Amino acid sequence: MDTLYIGNRIFVNTEHRPDLFAGGILVSGVDGKVTQIFDTPSDVTFYLQYNDAEVYDFGDLVVMPGLIDSHVHINEPGRTEWEGFHTATKAAAAGGFTTICDMPLNSIPPTTSMANLRTKINAARGKIFVDVAFWGGVVPGNTHELRDMMQAGVVGFKCFLCPSGVDEFQYVGEDDLHQALQKMDGAGSVLAFHAEVECKSHQSHSHDQNPKQYDTFLQARPDQMEADAIKLVSKLSQKYDVHCHIVHLSAAQALPSIREARSNGAQLTVETCHHYLSIAAEDIPDAHTEYKCCPPIRGKSNQELLWQAVCDREIDMVVSDHSPSTPSMKLLTSGKDRGDFLKAWGGISSVQFGLPLFWTNCQRYGLKIPDLVRLLCTEPAKMCGIDRVKGRLEVGYDGDICVWDPEDTFTVTHDIIEFQNKANPYMDRKLRGVVHASFIRGYPVYRLSEKFGLPLGNILMKKASRRGSKAMKFD
């Protein structure tokens, strides 16, 4: 049976429906695609007079496209104790996210070859509550694997310009990048950069400062590391017909290089993360290593510049960079190294809370629901090449839906967290925006009152095509 979603505040992000409206969305019971949009309640009533459908009436809750997080570390297989497909996708569904893209590192093996990609896909089967796409990785010596992985359907590739933190995912130099970009030239794929490079001030950092003070870590990872790396990325992005993407921008100092590259015709997009927009360095307590990430959270003045770049559309999207680990790796357990920012694992868990983290601050900057959908849904879909089936509620698109209350608030507590390791810097924080339901192709994967359905998410593979065709296949 088809499913009809009705409500007083529906958002479908198209030019002729620029705002919330009362009406309905019809999703096919055969293939889970949107088949009709009803612009008024009377249109809904007329349809139901002559047709049968399962009806969900969400009243004054907001009904909008399911969100997309293009930057999530799931870590299975090999480090499933950090995070696995089952728990990561449950957390995503509880947060209104209906598609997530798994990063190529921290699992063992990393997604740096066709064989390793198959291992990843097999590990995910039968466990995922939302649709999952995969990034491949660029590391020294794997250039010969890139075309096969593009043909297989990875959304793009990620590389590091400095040590990644795990031995099996080595960082690349400029020669490696030229080889990879030559192989990708004109193929319609994406190369994403962890844009930090080692610098003298980092290498010669004095170790006589207190490692349990956040400022010690911040000085060890200065803005210049990011600014220098982004200058290199900007230069490379102007030489090749390859979409380049900067992940987790934290240093506003790098924005002029990005502007210049774009003015010279570079295909360059940029993301930032919820933690950079929600937390400032001045507010981080001593020894609270749940706040550690790389690049680091910087000061309030830098944060304001990032928000301005979001408002000015210089930053294209906002993602979680959900990068979990165990409490012992975060040095949150007892021992002499407890709270050592220099030794703790860098990564913040937040895939479940992206919508309220962002929305809580939106009103202060004049951003509204259309901006939220653009930054947390439409632009990530476009960057990953899945925007012909994801990111909108239009006829022919997947019936992926997020239902939420933008006025209600909640407090982050241990008992509501669905991701595996609960430590995060938002504990006990009051946030605005409560997710009530998530639907994948018309199927309810999460409801606030009833919790979870079955793990019926799909493995999502991009059909490779030169010049970036957005056709998709599902495996």
Side-chain angles (χ1 to χ4, degrees):
M1 183 179 292
D2 293 349
T3 307
L4 178 61
Y5 304 89
I6 61 176
N8 300 321
R9 295 199 288 179
I10 296 174
F11 183 78
V12 295
N13 60 318
T14 60
E15 291 180 3
H16 65 285
R17 298 185 190 94
D19 212 338
L20 300 172
F21 66 94
I25 300 164
L26 187 68
V27 176
S28 168
V30 176
D31 61 6
K33 300 286 186 182
V34 176
T35 58
Q36 201 165 349
I37 305 287
F38 300 104
D39 291 316
T40 66
S42 60
D43 291 339
V44 172
T45 301
F46 182 81
Y47 175 83
L48 288 174
Q49 286 178 347
Y50 301 99
N51 299 275
D52 291 327
E54 183 178 8
V55 178
Y56 288 90
D57 186 346
F58 290 112
D60 290 330
L61 296 175
V62 170
V63 179
M64 69 182 197
L67 299 174
I68 297 170
D69 194 335
S70 56
H71 193 147
V72 178
H73 295 267
I74 295 178
N75 309 333
E76 184 177 1
R79 294 190 174 102
T80 310
E81 70 275 14
W82 297 16
E83 185 73 280
F85 284 104
H86 186 82
T87 48
T89 57
K90 281 182 75 174
F97 288 85
T98 53
T99 300
I100 60 177
C101 302
D102 175 58
M103 280 293 169
L105 71 157
N106 298 345
S107 59
I108 301 174
T111 317
T112 52
S113 69
M114 273 301 302
N116 294 356
L117 174 61
R118 283 191 285 268
T119 299
K120 262 283 193 181
I121 290 171
N122 288 334
R125 291 189 189 281
K127 301 175 183 176
I128 52 179
F129 288 84
V130 302
D131 286 354
V132 177
F134 294 92
W135 288 90
V138 170
V139 294
N142 83 324
T143 305
H144 63 285
E145 295 276 2
L146 303 187
R147 285 201 179 275
D148 285 345
M149 284 195 281
M150 282 188 278
Q151 290 294 323
V154 296
V155 298
F157 298 91
K158 183 184 182 181
C159 66
F160 273 70
L161 304 182
C162 65
S164 71
V166 291
D167 292 340
E168 66 276 0
F169 200 96
Q170 294 294 311
Y171 72 99
V172 292
E174 192 166 349
D175 289 344
D176 301 306
L177 290 171
H178 282 291
Q179 292 176 33
L181 287 163
Q182 287 166 11
K183 189 69 72 171
M184 297 171 66
D185 197 45
S189 193
V190 183
L191 183 57
F193 295 81
H194 179 119
E196 290 181 289
V197 291
E198 299 281 4
C199 65
K200 185 177 180 181
S201 59
H202 178 213
Q203 294 172 342
S204 62
H205 177 73
S206 173
H207 289 280
D208 58 3
Q209 294 177 270
N210 185 352
K212 298 188 178 185
Q213 291 180 342
Y214 182 73
D215 189 60
T216 300
F217 169 64
L218 189 58
Q219 290 180 44
R221 207 105 183 181
D223 302 52
Q224 199 62 44
M225 290 180 65
E226 209 170 346
D228 289 349
I230 290 174
K231 284 180 182 176
L232 172 60
V233 175
S234 298
K235 180 181 73 172
L236 291 169
S237 68
Q238 297 171 63
K239 289 179 180 260
Y240 296 94
D241 182 14
V242 177
H243 177 171
C244 294
H245 180 69
I246 295 167
V247 300
H248 49 49
L249 177 72
S250 79
Q253 179 183 331
L255 287 166
S257 295
I258 295 165
R259 293 186 198 111
E260 182 180 1
R262 285 171 164 171
S263 69
N264 291 331
Q267 301 176 62
L268 184 61
T269 52
V270 184
E271 70 186 36
T272 193
C273 299
H274 301 295
H275 38 276
Y276 302 131
L277 299 175
S278 302
I279 306 168
E282 294 88 340
D283 300 325
I284 298 177
D286 289 354
H288 278 259
T289 46
E290 65 268 30
Y291 288 83
K292 180 180 176 179
C293 59
C294 299
I297 295 165
R298 306 191 190 278
K300 290 181 179 178
S301 59
N302 179 84
Q303 184 184 76
E304 287 301 312
L305 291 172
L306 290 179
W307 270 110
Q308 189 60 54
V310 168
C311 294
D312 293 342
R313 301 197 178 197
E314 292 186 318
I315 290 174
D316 301 280
M317 64 202 74
V318 184
V319 301
S320 69
D321 188 11
H322 179 72
S323 186
S325 64
T326 61
S328 60
M329 292 199 63
K330 291 294 287 183
L331 300 183
L332 295 169
T333 54
S334 59
K336 66 181 180 64
D337 290 332
R338 186 184 187 281
D340 187 323
F341 280 102
L342 298 180
K343 294 180 179 179
W345 176 263
I348 287 177
S349 298
S350 66
V351 67
Q352 184 174 340
F353 301 117
L355 188 159
L357 283 169
F358 189 67
W359 183 246
T360 297
N361 293 295
C362 274
Q363 287 89 336
R364 187 153 57 100
Y365 295 95
L367 298 173
K368 299 182 179 180
I369 287 173
D371 301 297
L372 182 148
V373 174
R374 171 174 52 84
L375 289 156
L376 273 65
C377 183
T378 313
E379 288 300 320
K382 183 179 177 182
M383 187 267 293
C384 292
I386 59 175
D387 56 321
R388 293 287 175 87
V389 290
K390 302 288 186 183
R392 295 181 181 274
L393 287 176
E394 279 296 302
V395 173
Y397 279 71
D398 286 351
D400 297 348
I401 295 171
C402 169
V403 182
W404 65 294
D405 186 338
E407 285 79 43
D408 199 4
T409 61
F410 72 99
T411 300
V412 179
T413 53
H414 188 278
D415 59 299
I416 69 170
I417 295 171
E418 300 292 346
F419 45 79
Q420 184 155 302
N421 289 292
K422 313 304 181 187
N424 70 86
Y426 307 112
M427 203 68 79
D428 299 322
R429 182 177 287 208
K430 185 178 181 180
L431 300 176
R432 183 175 299 277
V434 175
V435 174
H436 281 247
S438 300
F439 295 82
I440 305 288
R441 291 175 299 281
Y443 176 79
V445 290
Y446 171 79
R447 298 198 67 182
L448 184 60
S449 58
E450 303 167 15
K451 290 299 183 179
F452 297 93
L454 297 173
L456 297 180
N458 277 342
I459 292 167
L460 188 62
M461 308 302 286
K462 182 172 75 171
K463 184 178 288 185
S465 173
R466 293 186 68 82
R467 301 306 308 159
S469 168
K470 305 301 191 297
M472 302 297 302
K473 65 180 180 181
F474 295 92
D475 185 5

